[in-house]
Amino acid sequence: MDTEAQHTERDRSSRPSDSEQPSEPEGPEERSRSAFTGWIARWVPGGRITVTLLALLAFLLLLSTFVLQPFQIPSGSMERGLRIGDRVLVNKLAYRFGDGPRRGDVVVFDGTGLFGHGDYIKRVVGVGGDHVVCCDKEGRLRVNGQSVDESAFLHPGDRPSTVPFDVVVPDGTLFVLGDHRSASSDSRDHLGSPGGGMVPVDEVIGRADWIVWPFGHATHLDRPDAYARVPEAEAGEADGAGTADGVSGGTAGAALDGAAGGARRSEGADG
């Protein structure tokens, strides 16, 4: 009895007395903040708002430089798919970690010293080793012996080419054409120039993947199925690059307007 009573008394004594109250926090706990950011905000006019805007601008600049870059279409050389004034978003990583450009891709490349001054946008018709001929008995392009039906993306009323040519694309280069063939200065017009009208893959800026403006024309640029049946070029065929039977140089180059940090990269228009 005495022992149990002692335990009971001990338990009671362990409880806090009525006069004891749990301590209350003096105020709400503050979030930890970056001392560096706070220091900058104190010295920059506009404080944290200015710092946030500068950080966003730096992010957009890095994104445009290394990942995605918008370009404006200045001419009708890629109609009907790309119209004058359209803004396209170019994927600059498309060919950095895998295969190079493929037939049917719409690519943006630096045409300085090749087609003129500035950046250009064209469709890839032939890659390294391909044998590209215009035209078969039905007026279609032939790539590696396979006729290609381009009617899905050619400008209405255009023929695949009014200029005959028979070329083999050297390794590491591309043969490119505009979709509006009668209004495009492309590989056909430079076959007699140094480089034979071919675009080095190293000069490709990226693949045009989206039309982002105007919103009513916004869409993803898919690779057409027209070249799906084209077989791969036979090994060693690129060593015998041919030349065109005839070249027409009557159109002016269509340089692309590139928007990076608000600057226009180049200007031009098709004649």
Side-chain angles (χ1 to χ4, degrees):
M1 294 292 292
D2 293 341
T3 305
E4 185 174 351
Q6 289 176 359
H7 281 295
T8 304
E9 189 65 28
R10 189 180 300 116
D11 291 342
R12 289 177 181 175
S13 64
S14 64
R15 299 175 185 173
S17 64
D18 294 339
S19 62
E20 293 179 354
Q21 299 294 333
S23 60
E24 296 289 341
E26 296 180 357
E29 183 179 357
E30 294 186 358
R31 293 176 297 176
S32 61
R33 297 177 178 177
S34 169
F36 181 70
T37 303
W39 181 82
I40 294 178
R42 286 195 299 270
W43 289 95
V44 174
R48 292 186 178 276
I49 295 178
T50 301
V51 172
T52 301
L53 292 176
L54 290 174
L56 179 60
L57 181 62
F59 171 76
L60 292 176
L61 182 61
L62 290 173
L63 186 71
S64 177
T65 302
F66 299 106
V67 183
L68 298 171
Q69 184 173 355
F71 285 85
Q72 179 180 348
I73 306 300
S75 73
S77 68
M78 285 297 292
E79 292 177 339
R80 58 190 163 183
L82 300 178
R83 305 177 300 190
I84 297 174
D86 281 355
R87 268 72 167 180
V88 296
L89 203 57
V90 174
N91 182 356
K92 303 178 78 170
L93 297 180
Y95 308 125
R96 295 295 181 265
F97 304 105
D99 297 334
R102 297 169 59 184
R103 305 178 199 95
D105 284 353
V106 176
V107 298
V108 173
F109 58 92
D110 183 1
T112 303
L114 300 170
F115 288 15
H117 178 72
D119 300 328
Y120 289 71
I121 184 166
K122 302 293 176 187
R123 188 178 299 278
V124 177
V125 172
V127 298
D130 283 350
H131 185 195
V132 186
V133 178
C134 179
C135 291
D136 65 11
K137 295 180 179 180
E138 298 181 9
R140 299 173 299 181
L141 293 184
R142 291 179 64 86
V143 182
N144 298 337
Q146 177 67 47
S147 295
V148 179
D149 182 5
E150 300 178 291
S151 59
F153 51 84
L154 275 187
H155 187 272
D158 269 8
R159 296 164 54 187
S161 180
T162 58
V163 177
F165 54 83
D166 185 342
V167 299
V168 174
V169 184
D171 287 336
T173 66
L174 307 171
F175 189 83
V176 298
L177 299 176
D179 288 353
H180 194 174
R181 300 287 160 82
S182 63
S184 174
S185 178
D186 43 45
S187 290
R188 299 168 299 169
D189 298 274
H190 300 276
L191 290 170
S193 304
M198 308 298 170
V199 176
V201 173
D202 291 343
E203 299 298 332
V204 173
I205 296 170
R207 184 181 64 210
D209 280 350
W210 299 275
I211 301 174
V212 294
W213 181 264
F215 290 134
H217 193 213
T219 186
H220 183 261
L221 298 175
D222 296 316
R223 182 183 297 109
D225 296 330
Y227 299 93
R229 297 181 180 179
V230 174
E232 295 300 317
E234 296 181 3
E237 191 171 10
D239 295 335
T243 57
D245 295 328
V247 175
S248 173
T251 58
L256 199 66
D257 293 327
R264 292 168 65 90
R265 294 176 59 104
S266 57
E267 300 208 8
D270 286 332

